[in-house]
Structure formats: structure tokens, C-alpha cells
């Protein structure tokens, strides 16, 4: 694999993805054959935000490959509580470990970490921005069920604004031919423009719906999501959005016989309990795939070389990204790094348009 870090699924070529997927399926078939692949290697998990599946699936993945793990899941118990910068934490920990897995509440934190790390960095979720290893899990599951990840009608329902899993998944699926997207949300929780603009620039067919009933019958894949309570400004704003979408057995009756219902989990109230037993609901299998695809990713990335000293970047003269949730507005030493995507000047950390 050519890539060194996984910050965004789109860092990867489709050939690299296919190779990784094939490896994950081989591991799933015969996990014991891979038990020494990461022997003597250490993975650090820096979890600045709560996680069950992502953290545990990374940890079990590394342990099943014969590696060891260090890290924290409560920044309050680490030097972060003493005011250490992200840059310092990453410089130190990446000196100890062979791969760093980071989850952070601020957008662009994983990209920022990759600038200072001596070893590969994996983004395990950066605020409401991206979550590429969930996308690997989702694509693996879709491929397992449908035999392909193209020519599908995929519906995403719930918090499309703050749901980083949706952003990553849609930006990945747009790269495969013939996928159509149905976006089911309230007007307040529509996809952010950085995702919509990219889908449109790639010529994707998008339909927006306000109810599940009006579109569930057309879908091959339904991706349900939780309303992301922790990203709302106030409990009142959250209360206005919660409980609007609920997948029930009545709605499942309107769906195709081979619909696949995915969910990154955790789910709250968006799926009725009785629906869990419908064989079309595959989120628990999806969560298990998360371990196999992360095993494949770790097996490929920990072989990457260490870089030694990280480059010294010039300090920015002023804030250059207007997104208040961007890491550059929280950690002030980060260099001004921008890129051009579809003719737009964007922040390299959080993908927001630079004015
Ligand atoms: C998701 C996340 O953290 O973004 N969960 C996960 O990683 N499996 C989805 C969520 O929290 O709703």
C-alpha cells in the first residue's frame, strides 16, 4: 500500500481499496493465519472522545495480529489535562508506537496529527468531519452482501450534517460508477456543502426526501444514523431533531426483499427493537467486519517506515480557516495549508471553503 496515513478514504486509490478489501476477506476466513503479522509492533490509541466499537475493534484487531497496545480513552487522565498541545502529544506518542489511531472532537485533528507523527496516523473520527475506517467497514459489508459497491441506490437517513460516517461513506461511494444517493433528513440536518459540492462535481444523482416512507422501496442500501447529540449547541436544539426518523417493521414492509440496512452504531431510538431481528438488518455483522478490515489496514500500515524528525512548519500569521470547529482555530501553531478541490480553495484540515 502506497499511502502512509489514513486520514480520508479518498487518500487511497481504488486499487489500494480493492487490495485491502481482499485481504480483509482472507483474514475473515482464516484469522489464525495472521496472528503474528504485527508481532513486536505497538499501536497507540489516542481517544479524546468516547468510543466503544472503534476503539475496541482497533484494539482487538492489533491483538489478533500479535501486536500490543498503549493509549488513553480518557484525555482527563493524560497530560492533555495539563494543557499539552496535540502536536506535543503526537510527537511523543509516535516515538513510542508504530501506528497512532486518533479520535478527536475537533475537525481536522487527525490531519494535524499526521504533520507531526513519526509513524502512520489513522483517523478514527475527527469531530463531525470524517471517519474513514468506518467507511472501510461499510464498503466491506456492502460488498459482502451485494457483490459490488457500484450501481446501487443508497439512502442515508438521520443526522447528515454532523454524521462523519455519512460524509466519508458518500464521498467514497461517489467514486464507484452508477451509485445514486437518497438523502433523508430534516432541512436543519442536511449534508454539509463540502460533501454536497463534491457529489455534484462528480456528477452524482442525488434526491432529497423528508420521510423514509417516500423512498424506502427504491433502496438497495439504507444507512441509518443517530442524531449526534454531542454536536448540538443546546439540549433544546437537539430535542427539536431527535425522534423524527424511526425505522419500524411497517416501513420495512415497504422495502425491497434484499435491502441491506446498515448503521455505524451506537443506535439510540432510530431503529425499533423488533426490526433488529429482520435479516435485512446487518449492523451487527457490519460491526464485526470492522475488526477484520482494521486488521487488514494495520497489517498494511505498520510496515510503513518511520520518518524521524518531523518537518518544522512556519507559524501562521492569523487564523485562515473560518470554520470555528476546525482544529486550526483550537491549536494556533498549525501551518496554513490549503488545497484546491473542484476549483474551490479548501482548508486541508477540515475541508471548509477558504474565503
Ligand atoms: C460513529 C462515530 O463515532 O462517528 N460510531 C462509530 O464509530 N461506530 C457513529 C456515531 O457515533 O453515531
Amino acid at each position: 500500500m502506497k499511502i502512509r496515513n489514513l486520514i480520508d478514504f479518498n487518500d487511497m486509490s481504488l486499487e489500494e481499496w480493492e487490495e485491502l478489501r481482499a485481504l480483509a476477506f482472507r483474514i475473515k476466513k482464516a484469522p489464525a493465519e495472521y496472528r503474528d503479522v504485527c508481532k513486536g509492533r505497538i499501536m497507540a490509541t489516542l481517544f479524546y472522545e468516547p468510543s466503544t466499537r472503534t476503539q475496541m475493534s482497533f484494539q482487538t484487531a492489533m491483538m489478533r495480529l500479535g501486536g500490543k497496545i498503549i493509549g488513553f480513552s480518557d484525555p482527563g487522565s493524560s497530560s492533555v489535562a495539563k494543557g499539552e498541545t496535540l502536536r506535543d502529544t503526537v510527537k511523543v506518542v509516535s516515538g513510542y508506537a508504530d501506528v497512532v489511531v486518533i479520535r478527536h472532537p475537533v475537525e481536522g485533528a487527525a490531519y494535524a496529527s499526521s504533520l507531526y507523527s513519526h509513524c502512520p496516523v489513522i483517523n478514527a473520527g475527527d469531530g463531525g468531519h470524517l471517519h474513514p475506517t468506518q467507511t472501510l467497514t461499510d464498503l466491506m459489508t456492502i460488498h459482502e452482501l451485494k457483490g459490488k459497491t457500484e450501481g446501487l441506490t443508497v439512502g442515508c437517513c438521520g443526522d447528515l450534517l454532523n454524521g462523519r460516517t455519512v460524509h466519508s461513506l458518500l464521498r467514497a461511494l461517489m467514486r464507484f460508477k452508477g451509485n445514486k444517493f437518497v438523502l433523508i433528513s430534516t432541512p436543519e440536518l442536511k449534508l454539509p456543502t463540502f460533501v454536497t459540492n463534491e457529489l455534484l462535481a462528480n456528477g452524482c444523482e442525488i434526491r432529497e426526501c423528508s420521510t423514509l416512507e417516500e423512498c424506502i422501496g427504491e433502496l438497495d442500501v439504507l444507512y441509518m444514523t443517530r442524531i449526534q447529540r454531542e454536536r448540538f449547541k443546546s439540549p433544546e436544539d437537539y430535542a427539536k431533531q431527535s425522534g423524527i426518523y424511526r425505522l419500524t417493521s411497517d416501513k420495512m414492509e415497504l422495502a425491497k426483499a434484499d435491502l441491506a440496512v446498515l448503521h455505524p452504531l451506537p443506535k439510540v431510538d432510530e431503529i425499533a427493537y423488533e426490526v433488529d431481528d429482520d435479516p435485512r438488518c446487518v449492523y451487527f455483522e457490519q460491526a464485526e467486519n470492522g475488526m477484520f478490515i482494521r486488521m487488514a489496514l494495520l497489517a498494511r500500515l505498520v510496515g510503513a517506515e518511520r520518518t524521524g524528525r518531523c518537518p518544522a512548519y512556519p507559524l501562521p500569521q492569523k487564523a485562515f480557516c473560518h470554520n470555528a470547529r476546525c482544529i486550526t482555530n483550537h491549536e494556533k501553531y498549525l501551518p496554513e495549508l490549503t488545497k484546491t478541490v473542484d476549483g474551490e480553495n479548501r482548508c486541508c484540515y477540515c475541508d471548509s471553503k477558504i474565503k
Side-chain angles (χ1 to χ4, degrees):
M1 200 145 100
K2 278 205 216 81
I3 59 161
R4 170 182 159 75
N5 306 301
L6 182 65
I7 307 300
D8 179 343
F9 174 83
N10 294 350
D11 294 341
M12 224 187 257
S13 68
L14 290 185
E15 292 70 43
E16 283 177 310
W17 156 244
E18 274 158 28
E19 191 201 305
L20 197 69
R21 187 189 69 215
L23 176 61
F25 281 120
R26 289 201 296 279
I27 296 176
K28 186 171 180 176
K29 237 176 160 178
E33 286 177 22
Y34 297 83
R35 68 179 155 229
D36 290 331
V37 167
C38 287
K39 202 169 169 193
R41 300 302 190 122
I42 295 173
M43 174 183 78
T45 52
L46 307 184
F47 275 59
Y48 291 79
E49 212 185 41
S51 166
T52 310
R53 262 149 298 272
T54 308
Q55 191 179 19
M56 286 193 187
S57 62
F58 264 113
Q59 291 175 337
T60 46
M62 193 53 164
M63 292 194 280
R64 284 178 189 276
L65 293 170
K68 296 219 161 67
I69 48 184
I70 56 168
F72 59 75
S73 51
D74 170 18
S77 66
S78 75
S79 289
V80 174
K82 299 180 187 165
E84 186 171 60
T85 60
L86 180 65
R87 172 170 76 166
D88 288 0
T89 307
V90 168
K91 277 188 173 195
V92 171
V93 174
S94 68
Y96 301 152
D98 299 291
V99 58
V100 169
V101 179
I102 180 164
R103 167 168 288 195
H104 200 284
V106 180
E107 298 174 18
Y111 178 81
S113 305
S114 72
L115 300 178
Y116 301 105
S117 176
H118 306 304
C119 64
V121 174
I122 300 175
N123 181 5
D126 60 330
H129 184 218
L130 298 173
H131 193 348
T133 65
Q134 182 63 46
T135 298
L136 301 179
T137 305
D138 303 339
L139 293 180
M140 176 179 175
T141 308
I142 295 173
H143 202 279
E144 190 170 38
L145 291 163
K146 303 284 176 193
K148 59 178 187 177
T149 46
E150 55 183 35
L152 298 169
T153 303
V154 179
C156 291
C157 175
D159 192 345
L160 310 188
L161 177 68
N162 301 299
R164 54 194 173 195
T165 61
V166 173
H167 307 161
S168 281
L169 180 62
L170 290 174
R171 290 174 64 256
L173 283 172
M174 77 182 181
R175 295 171 67 197
F176 300 92
K177 268 185 278 147
N179 287 326
K180 291 185 198 159
F181 304 116
V182 184
L183 308 175
I184 310 140
S185 77
T186 61
E188 292 79 12
L189 297 183
K190 273 162 79 159
L191 271 186
T193 48
F194 90 89
V195 184
T196 326
N197 289 354
E198 250 181 88
L199 297 180
L200 294 173
N202 274 271
C204 295
E205 201 179 310
I206 302 178
R207 181 176 155 210
E208 290 184 343
C209 289
S210 55
T211 66
L212 268 166
E213 292 88 324
E214 66 191 283
C215 59
I216 195 167
E218 302 159 30
L219 306 178
D220 300 306
V221 175
L222 171 59
Y223 197 83
M224 291 296 292
T225 63
R226 169 179 76 89
I227 306 300
Q228 307 272 302
R229 187 176 46 191
E230 65 280 22
R231 315 252 181 253
F232 282 79
K233 287 207 179 89
S234 69
E236 294 73 37
D237 286 352
Y238 169 70
K240 280 188 209 143
Q241 296 294 330
S242 73
I244 295 179
Y245 295 103
R246 193 165 157 83
L247 186 61
T248 54
S249 36
D250 292 357
K251 288 174 197 151
M252 286 299 281
E253 273 178 30
L254 305 172
K256 288 185 184 170
D258 65 348
L259 169 72
V261 181
L262 275 71
H263 192 306
L265 302 178
K267 57 187 173 66
V268 185
D269 55 5
E270 58 278 10
I271 300 185
Y273 297 121
E274 74 272 10
V275 177
D276 281 352
D277 298 324
D278 188 309
R280 292 171 288 182
C281 290
V282 294
Y283 25 84
F284 297 113
E285 291 83 350
Q286 179 189 359
E288 196 181 334
N289 279 340
M291 179 182 70
F292 295 116
I293 197 80
R294 288 181 175 105
M295 284 173 80
L297 181 67
L298 289 170
R300 285 289 180 260
L301 282 189
V302 290
E305 274 169 42
R306 302 178 74 81
T307 45
R309 265 183 93 79
C310 339
Y313 295 99
L315 294 178
Q317 298 307 304
K318 55 177 175 31
F320 62 94
C321 178
H322 295 276
N323 173 11
R325 300 195 203 184
C326 176
I327 189 79
T328 57
N329 291 309
H330 294 252
E331 307 255 340
K332 304 289 189 186
Y333 52 82
L334 290 167
E336 177 172 342
L337 296 173
T338 59
K339 60 187 175 184
T340 307
V341 182
D342 303 321
E344 255 180 25
N345 198 22
R346 297 236 205 124
C347 171
C348 278
Y349 300 83
C350 71
D351 282 294
S352 296
K353 195 169 170 179
I354 302 282
K355 292 176 192 135

